[in-house]
Amino acid sequence: MLPATHLTLHEYRAAELREEAAEYARVPRPESHRIRTRVGLRLVEWGTRLAQPAPPRHRTRIA
């Protein structure tokens, strides 16, 4: 395939995808979508906190 043909096809497909994304962005979302988004973000936050190593609980003291 010629580079110019490949670029033309790529630009055409990119324009289609941008148009689809713009249409999807205009669709109103139900309230349940917002709630699910907030719950999902909270779960990601908790998972990130759990993945980090915990600080040591006790310090050893030299008597």
Side-chain angles (χ1 to χ4, degrees):
M1 182 181 297
L2 294 174
T5 306
H6 180 75
L7 180 62
T8 303
L9 289 173
H10 175 73
E11 289 172 346
Y12 178 75
R13 179 67 178 142
E16 284 180 343
L17 291 174
R18 276 193 297 274
E19 190 175 305
E20 279 183 36
E23 287 176 16
Y24 184 78
R26 286 190 291 263
V27 174
R29 303 286 182 263
E31 182 62 29
S32 63
H33 180 75
R34 290 186 193 110
I35 293 170
R36 282 189 310 202
T37 301
R38 288 197 324 232
V39 169
L41 290 173
R42 182 68 64 183
L43 289 174
V44 168
E45 181 183 342
W46 287 343
T48 304
R49 287 183 184 177
L50 288 174
Q52 295 175 355
R57 289 187 172 181
H58 301 284
R59 296 180 123 191
T60 52
R61 288 193 252 163
I62 301 175

